[in-house]
Amino acid sequence: MNFIKLCVAGVVAILVLANVAFAVLPDEMLKDPNLEARARVISQDLRCLVCQNQSIDDSNAPLAKDLRIIVRERLTAGDTNEQVFAYVVARYGNYVLLKPPLQTDTLVLWLMPFALLIVALGTVAFYLRKRPQFESEDGIEPDAEIPRR
Amino acid sequence: MALPALGFAGLAGVFALGLRSDPKLIPSPLIGLKVPKFDLPPVKGKTLGLSSTNLLGEVSLVNVFASWCVACRAEHPIFMRLSQDKSVPLHGINYKDAPDDAAKWLDTMGDPYTRTGADLDGRVAIDWGVYGVPETFVVGADGTIAYKHIGAVTGEVMSNTLLPLVERLRKGAAA
């Protein structure tokens, strides 16, 4: 039992400690807690271009660090969050946004899930309606219990 | 019956197309825009720095490089050949390099650049939308960024893409 407890404690410790491992270094942080909070929110939505599925807030890449510092400089200079995003997008394109904006060239991206849902529901409705309710075509009664897979 | 199979084939087709494109190549929003305003001092030991005004008046190539970058070493001979041909001026932006390392690189391997700018903190490169070295830009005579090549320039890229574009830009400017 003690061994299991030890294992659980170990796993908990790993999970907790893993969360402490920020990429944002203390010397990057702004003194103003409001600005720092905004910087964190912004950098969590900016893609690191080096390790592409991480935000710059998560990434240890040098470029991500540079961009984090730029985000903070822009905020200190009085930019709104939108202006900071615009600053980075002007250099790296919409690709840096982890939440792509809704515009003409991203319509497919945004509408595809809904289109697929409609197609899927339509297909299900079509097959359910076509299928005989209680009898199969050869007249044999289907099993009352459908085996679960 | 055929519908699921068709659906699968369609999806597989889309994925196959997706596999062909390299996710590391991110299209730059700066193509067709003027080069960002910048003014960099020369690399240690060189006399000519690089600024945005230096890129006006003539079609040129701008190569972002660093001595710590392996792919830069691979493309360096291509640039040495280019500078011997004198077909188009090549300028270098030295990205986040220790001044001594950059100087040693150019001294030992040869300096193919007409002008070099030392971008010590990498800020100018960020203004250029650089996200990795090497990157090579083709800049028109009016200072417009016409093209960006990401990664090492090979002989093929140089003769099939970059140099033909330089020719087209020259003709366009003359016409």
Side-chain angles (χ1 to χ4, degrees):
Chain A
M1 278 315 267
N2 269 338
F3 178 70
I4 293 174
K5 268 184 192 168
L6 200 68
C7 284
V8 170
V11 168
V12 169
I14 287 169
L15 289 176
V16 170
L17 289 176
N19 282 334
V20 175
F22 293 125
V24 185
L25 299 174
D27 61 313
E28 296 172 17
M29 291 183 186
L30 297 175
K31 287 207 178 76
D32 182 339
N34 286 330
L35 282 186
E36 177 60 26
R38 279 171 61 201
R40 293 300 301 272
V41 170
I42 292 171
S43 48
Q44 274 159 17
D45 275 345
L46 286 175
R47 186 194 299 275
C48 169
L49 292 113
V50 182
C51 21
Q52 298 181 350
N53 282 333
Q54 279 189 308
S55 70
I56 59 167
D57 195 62
D58 288 335
S59 173
N60 290 317
L63 182 65
K65 181 188 167 84
D66 290 350
L67 287 172
R68 283 198 298 272
I69 291 171
I70 284 179
V71 164
R72 284 163 174 79
E73 280 178 6
R74 302 307 309 170
L75 287 176
T76 314
D79 276 15
T80 64
N81 291 15
E82 286 69 31
Q83 284 169 325
V84 176
F85 280 122
Y87 182 93
V88 183
V89 167
R91 285 153 182 76
Y92 291 105
N94 279 331
Y95 188 81
V96 289
L97 301 175
L98 284 169
K99 290 180 190 150
L102 183 57
Q103 55 189 39
T104 44
D105 60 340
T106 56
L107 269 185
V108 173
L109 177 74
W110 279 95
L111 296 185
M112 191 57 93
F114 303 105
L116 284 179
L117 184 69
I118 290 169
V119 169
L121 288 178
T123 312
V124 168
F126 178 75
Y127 277 100
L128 281 182
R129 203 177 275 199
K130 215 175 80 171
R131 205 172 64 172
Q133 291 289 313
F134 297 109
E135 285 185 326
S136 56
E137 281 169 22
D138 51 10
I140 298 168
E141 290 280 315
D143 288 346
E145 265 181 55
I146 298 160
R148 272 159 221 215
R149 297 177 195 203
Chain B
M1 265 311 269
L3 209 60
L6 276 179
F8 174 77
L11 260 187
V14 171
F15 291 155
L17 280 181
L19 280 179
R20 283 164 174 270
S21 63
D22 186 345
K24 294 253 176 231
L25 303 181
I26 303 162
S28 172
L30 296 170
I31 306 298
L33 301 181
K34 298 275 183 237
V35 296
K37 276 208 175 2
F38 71 98
D39 192 0
L40 288 175
V43 168
K44 188 182 175 187
K46 302 289 162 186
T47 47
L48 298 175
L50 185 64
S51 74
S52 20
T53 47
N54 296 142
L55 298 174
L56 294 173
E58 194 180 3
V59 181
S60 57
L61 302 183
V62 175
N63 172 242
V64 185
F65 73 104
S67 68
W68 44 264
C69 146
V70 180
C72 301
R73 197 168 282 268
E75 67 178 1
H76 190 263
I78 306 287
F79 292 144
M80 289 310 290
R81 214 173 306 148
L82 181 81
S83 73
Q84 278 151 21
D85 294 347
K86 294 197 186 338
S87 44
V88 59
L90 171 74
H91 304 298
I93 293 179
N94 183 230
Y95 178 71
K96 284 194 169 184
D97 221 338
D100 288 331
D101 292 348
K104 196 174 147 207
W105 164 282
L106 293 178
D107 286 346
T108 54
M109 294 182 51
D111 178 4
Y113 304 108
T114 310
R115 290 173 166 275
T116 50
D119 188 15
L120 296 179
D121 59 4
R123 283 305 179 86
V124 169
I126 286 180
D127 284 343
W128 281 74
V130 170
Y131 63 93
V133 275
E135 286 186 13
T136 305
F137 296 83
V138 182
V139 180
D142 59 350
T144 304
I145 299 176
Y147 185 77
K148 153 160 133 169
H149 177 80
I150 298 161
V153 170
T154 58
E156 206 181 11
V157 168
M158 182 58 82
S159 51
N160 293 350
T161 310
L162 301 185
L163 289 179
L165 179 58
V166 166
E167 280 312 308
R168 278 206 302 283
L169 287 172
R170 280 177 178 158
K171 275 184 194 144

